[in-house]
Structure formats: C-alpha cells, structure tokens
Amino acid sequence: NFSQVPVPIMSLDYVGRDQAWHSSDLALAAIIPLIDGVRHVQAIIEEADIDSFIAQQALMELVQFGAIILVDLFQYSNEYMPTHRLAEYIQDESMRLKCHYYTTRYSETLLSVEKRASKKQERENTEKELLGLNLVALYSKLGGAVSVGSMLSDNMKCLDPRFDARRWVTFGIAYGIIRRIHLYPIYIDTVRS
C-alpha cells in the first residue's frame, strides 16, 4: 500500500551488509537512506526516483529480513483500540521503559530500545517509571469513537514535553498493543418496494 510507512526496527546501516545481494541492489541502496519512520511508501518512491514495483519489492525484502515493519500513515484523526496484549504491557516494567525510550528519544529504533531497556532497567528513577504508567493509561483510553488527536488533547498535561504521538502509536502497533479501527460507510437502501 502506497500510504503505509516503513518503520525501521533495527539500524538500517548494517542491513544485509554481509549478504551478496546488498551491494548490488540499487533499489535498496536508494531506498534505505529514505526510511525514517515518517515518509510513506509513495514519498520514498518519488524521492528515490525508482519504479514503484521495484521499490515495493525492495521494501518487501526488508520486511522479510525483519529490518522494517509497515504501518498505516499516522494521522491525528485515526482511531485505534487496545488489544488483549495491553494487560501484559501494563504488568511488564521493561515494556513501559521501552515505550518511554522510543516515544521520547528520536534517534532510537525499536531494536535499540530493546537493548537500552534491558541494560538500564534497574537504574531507572521513579519519574520515568511514572511516565511509563501514563503511557499505559493513554493506550487504555483509546477505543470507541475517540481519535488519537482528541484523546491526546485531553491528556497532554501529564506527558513529557518530548513525547511524540506518532512514535507512541507506532510503538503500540509494533508490539501489538493497539490496532487501527477502519471505518467505512455503508449504504442502506431505505426505500422498499
């Protein structure tokens, strides 16, 4: 889908460096520097100036390699709902720390967050732990007919100034904590013959 956003799970500097295909794959060489978790597929294709089919194949290679995931384009009007994994997330201290790192530090990838949370878990102070709890509470407030934008506007006072809503949603999707609700109009014919 051209409106999906490729999100790096690991540092793409090292992806496929040991594989023979990496050095000769011009599509990957053009695409990898453009994957930042913000640009959607169509924007990457246009900026890289390559054929859309070839670009999609290159992105699918990165997905299969486990280097990226594809998520829906972030919009404040999108609606999400928590999944059953939210209960696990609430009780998992390392998951709260991972969420804190990923949503407040822009240079972090999902893989580097995994490493950082496991190293510093014992040394975290109470303030960061409380922020993690606030992020958990925010996930639980998603659902129904509430958009991300309206839910966040009601809860911005309790968030760290470095909080990035786009990265918070991406984190929730990547770990299966939330899923997007797609709304479609249905035509109902009220005239009966």
Side-chain angles (χ1 to χ4, degrees):
N1 186 342
F2 290 114
S3 64
Q4 288 186 310
V5 177
V7 176
I9 294 183
M10 61 179 69
S11 174
L12 297 178
D13 297 337
Y14 307 106
V15 171
R17 193 167 275 177
D18 298 333
Q19 284 80 15
W21 53 262
H22 183 267
S23 61
S24 63
D25 194 328
L26 297 175
L28 281 176
I31 288 173
I32 285 177
L34 301 175
I35 296 174
D36 58 4
V38 177
R39 290 184 186 107
H40 55 84
V41 172
Q42 185 64 42
I44 290 172
I45 290 169
E46 289 171 4
E47 195 166 333
D49 194 28
I50 58 177
D51 180 66
S52 62
F53 179 76
I54 293 171
Q56 286 181 328
Q57 293 301 313
L59 287 170
M60 293 319 301
E61 273 187 58
L62 291 173
V63 168
Q64 290 173 353
F65 187 70
I68 65 170
I69 59 171
L70 294 171
V71 298
D72 289 335
L73 184 66
F74 176 78
Q75 296 178 339
Y76 282 102
S77 60
N78 289 355
E79 295 179 13
Y80 297 88
M81 66 178 289
T83 66
H84 68 282
R85 299 217 43 211
L86 179 61
E88 299 168 27
Y89 174 67
I90 289 172
Q91 298 172 356
D92 186 353
E93 182 180 340
S94 69
M95 190 65 99
R96 290 194 303 267
L97 292 173
K98 289 175 200 173
C99 187
H100 168 75
Y101 289 135
Y102 189 71
T103 58
T104 60
R105 292 179 174 87
Y106 301 112
S107 63
E108 301 283 352
T109 62
L110 288 168
L111 184 63
S112 67
V113 164
E114 293 275 345
K115 292 176 184 174
R116 181 183 293 263
S118 64
K119 287 180 186 174
K120 292 189 175 183
Q121 186 169 352
E122 293 81 28
R123 297 186 305 222
E124 288 299 315
N125 61 28
T126 308
E127 179 182 303
K128 289 183 180 174
E129 186 62 27
L130 287 174
L131 176 66
L133 290 172
N134 287 340
L135 296 177
V136 172
L138 283 181
Y139 282 128
S140 66
K141 291 180 181 182
L142 291 172
V146 179
S147 70
V148 172
S150 64
M151 188 274 302
L152 288 176
S153 67
D154 294 341
N155 296 283
M156 284 307 282
K157 293 176 188 168
C158 65
L159 295 174
D160 186 306
R162 300 170 295 169
F163 175 78
D164 183 346
R166 178 187 47 80
R167 290 176 67 90
W168 175 72
V169 169
T170 299
F171 183 89
I173 292 170
Y175 282 97
I177 299 165
I178 59 173
R179 67 180 182 87
R180 181 153 178 222
I181 299 172
H182 294 274
L183 302 173
Y184 302 101
I186 298 175
Y187 174 74
I188 300 175
D189 188 10
T190 57
V191 179
R192 297 179 187 219
S193 17

